[in-house]
Amino acid sequence: NLRFAGLLYLCDADAEQTCTMLKTDKKLRRYCKFILHALQQPEIDSPYALKKLLFQSDFPTVSDLLCLRAICTGRSDTQWQQMLQQLQQTPIYLRDLKINGTQLKALGIRNTAISQTLLYLIDCVHKDPSCNQTQQLLQLAQKYNESHD
């Protein structure tokens, strides 16, 4: 899969169109689209940028991406891989938050505001993992929703 995505990148091919023509499965199509999109993004130069990528995918895919990026840029991926290993111990996904939608409903937050609030909270935790505490997240959620009403 990584070689295929790398080939698409080097050929400057449209992943969606190429995968459709080759009748690849949806999983490979999503994988290639993610890899190609991420390769076109600015440099991954911080744990925060890496967490944003992980939030969109998973550890093996991001590890593949870092390897391919290193090959394409002619640089070592050691620093990125070390950051990735360190991040495995930090909150990345919504399920890692010490708060959930039910607790947000109890605050009076409703419907789509719940998902927007959770995305805001995970972004806060990506920037500062120490704020992944129930009370602190509830306070952040309350402030966020007061400013977005």
Side-chain angles (χ1 to χ4, degrees):
N1 290 349
L2 180 61
R3 289 181 182 153
F4 183 66
L7 180 63
L8 290 175
Y9 177 74
L10 292 173
C11 294
D12 198 24
D14 179 318
E16 184 70 33
Q17 184 179 20
T18 304
C19 288
T20 301
M21 284 183 357
L22 294 174
K23 298 181 179 166
T24 62
D25 62 30
K26 289 180 183 178
K27 185 176 179 182
L28 178 60
R29 191 173 302 155
R30 277 193 312 270
Y31 176 86
C32 289
K33 281 177 64 175
F34 172 78
I35 294 286
L36 293 179
H37 176 73
L39 284 171
Q40 296 167 354
Q41 298 306 305
E43 192 68 28
I44 302 166
D45 58 356
S46 70
Y48 177 70
L50 206 47
K51 286 179 187 180
K52 298 296 278 184
L53 281 174
L54 284 167
F55 184 70
Q56 299 169 27
S57 188
D58 57 23
F59 279 93
T61 302
V62 172
S63 182
D64 287 352
L65 166 67
L66 296 176
C67 179
L68 185 58
R69 182 171 233 159
I71 291 167
C72 291
T73 61
R75 287 194 258 162
S76 168
D77 69 336
T78 306
Q79 176 189 0
W80 289 325
Q81 293 294 346
Q82 287 172 344
M83 261 196 290
L84 189 61
Q85 281 183 330
Q86 292 169 352
L87 291 178
Q88 288 184 328
Q89 308 305 318
T90 64
I92 300 293
Y93 306 104
L94 292 175
R95 68 176 177 259
D96 298 330
L97 288 175
K98 303 275 179 163
I99 193 173
N100 59 41
T102 304
Q103 291 164 299
L104 294 178
K105 281 182 183 180
L107 286 177
I109 301 169
R110 299 281 178 246
N111 304 327
T112 57
I114 290 175
S115 60
Q116 291 171 347
T117 303
L118 287 170
L119 290 173
Y120 168 75
L121 293 174
I122 195 67
D123 194 52
C124 291
V125 170
H126 285 164
K127 291 175 185 169
D128 179 12
S130 69
C131 77
N132 193 22
Q133 303 300 320
T134 304
Q135 289 306 315
Q136 194 169 356
L137 291 172
L138 287 171
Q139 290 171 351
L140 286 169
Q142 190 73 43
K143 287 178 186 175
Y144 175 79
N145 280 284
E146 287 170 0
S147 67
H148 287 83
D149 280 338

